[in-house]
Amino acid sequence: MLDISSSSLLAGTAHGFLGRAGGVSKGIYAGLNVGLGSDDDRDAILDNRQRAKEEILPDSQLVTVHQVHSPDVMTVSAAVPLDERPHVDAMVTDRPGLLLGILTADCVPVLFFDRKANVVGAAHAGWKGAISGVTDNTIVAMEALGASRAYISCAIGPCIAQASYEVDAGFRDRFLEQDQDNETFFEAGKPGHYQFDIEAYVAGRLADAGIQQIEKLGLDTYANEDRFYSYRRSCHRGEDGYGRQISLIGLRE
């Protein structure tokens, strides 16, 4: 049984934020690991990706990219071979039957839907991509396909929560240099450190861009080991690798 979270704001699309349950991977990757960049068994990874796709949009073509923490967006009009995945961190499409997939393991997955123009998008917003505008650029790419900010709804899926995300003062300074109002996303932690609310920051970027319907699922990848993979948790444990979960959205034929 796959663990799938969804958003009422995206009703009308095939979509889901998948957890780690229901896959065939073993060991530290146990569950539905879809990360081709991991050292997990490749056949298991491909099996897991197929399971996820068929659960969300059967008979669709899954499209993923080689994520590099950039602000760059790809407009998808056809399936992309695995060995030709572009180095971008977001996708948009208006083509039914294409299922956009974003991989995360603490970073923020954002799914977008304009129900009037029938345009969807998916973005991987780690802190580098978020601060450099990956969500803003996704909206612009959707507009190029006929979408409107007034009709775009967004859902923010499982990501590391503020209580689990400790950063140093230098990290915080990057955000304050961009905008002093970003101080609201940081709470004081141990001396010289802060707790960063990346989920709220991404939601704030979406709101500042004119998006009026935003849902934060509030699911902490770090704290919920049984449900989600977490890069930071694996680092804290000194593990040799970590799995990735997938967030999917597509238009039905």
Side-chain angles (χ1 to χ4, degrees):
M1 179 76 82
L2 302 189
D3 179 0
I4 304 172
S5 302
S6 61
S7 169
S8 61
L9 294 183
L10 305 179
T13 66
H15 77 280
F17 299 95
L18 283 78
R20 65 185 297 175
V24 299
S25 294
K26 306 296 183 183
I28 58 173
Y29 303 110
L32 195 79
N33 173 37
V34 296
L36 290 166
S38 70
D39 292 328
D40 192 7
D41 178 76
R42 185 176 177 85
D43 288 340
I45 294 168
L46 295 177
D47 188 332
N48 291 335
R49 291 164 70 98
Q50 180 69 16
R51 288 172 181 234
K53 179 182 77 72
E54 289 302 312
E55 189 70 23
I56 300 299
L57 189 55
D59 301 322
S60 63
Q61 293 180 297
L62 175 62
V63 183
T64 59
V65 293
H66 189 112
Q67 298 168 191
V68 291
H69 296 275
S70 74
D72 300 327
V73 184
M74 170 188 179
T75 298
V76 181
S77 58
V80 178
L82 286 179
D83 59 355
E84 297 178 15
R85 290 170 295 151
H87 289 57
V88 300
D89 285 83
M91 295 171 283
V92 301
T93 192
D94 60 356
R95 304 294 177 88
L98 296 177
L99 189 61
L100 309 182
I102 289 295
L103 280 58
T104 57
D106 284 340
C107 293
V108 183
V110 187
L111 301 181
F112 302 71
F113 178 42
D114 182 323
R115 67 184 65 253
K116 187 173 182 180
N118 230 27
V119 177
V120 295
H124 160 251
W127 74 263
K128 291 180 182 178
I131 197 172
S132 59
V134 67
T135 53
D136 303 84
N137 292 345
T138 304
I139 294 166
V140 171
M142 291 179 69
E143 288 178 320
L145 294 177
S148 168
R149 291 169 199 242
Y151 297 106
I152 294 175
S153 299
C154 295
I156 298 174
C159 60
I160 192 167
Q162 185 170 29
S164 302
Y165 197 1
E166 181 184 83
V167 299
D168 61 22
F171 181 101
R172 175 174 174 267
D173 289 344
R174 293 186 182 94
F175 285 81
L176 299 189
E177 288 167 4
Q178 182 190 68
D179 187 340
Q180 285 295 315
D181 288 342
N182 285 336
E183 184 176 9
T184 189
F185 304 114
F186 295 86
E187 288 186 356
K190 69 184 184 184
H193 291 76
Y194 299 86
Q195 301 298 130
F196 178 43
D197 192 345
I198 191 171
E199 181 183 51
Y201 174 76
V202 170
R205 289 289 297 241
L206 292 168
D208 288 345
I211 304 303
Q212 300 172 30
Q213 296 191 80
I214 304 165
E215 181 178 3
K216 298 182 292 182
L217 269 62
L219 297 170
D220 185 357
T221 50
Y222 185 99
N224 292 284
E225 180 178 1
D226 290 342
R227 295 190 66 186
F228 305 112
Y229 299 106
S230 166
Y231 167 73
R232 178 165 287 215
R233 187 177 63 234
S234 72
C235 290
H236 286 172
R237 292 181 175 178
E239 295 174 340
D240 293 332
Y242 62 97
R244 284 81 157 171
Q245 50 256 341
I246 194 166
S247 300
L248 298 167
I249 190 166
L251 300 169
R252 297 183 178 90
E253 296 280 3

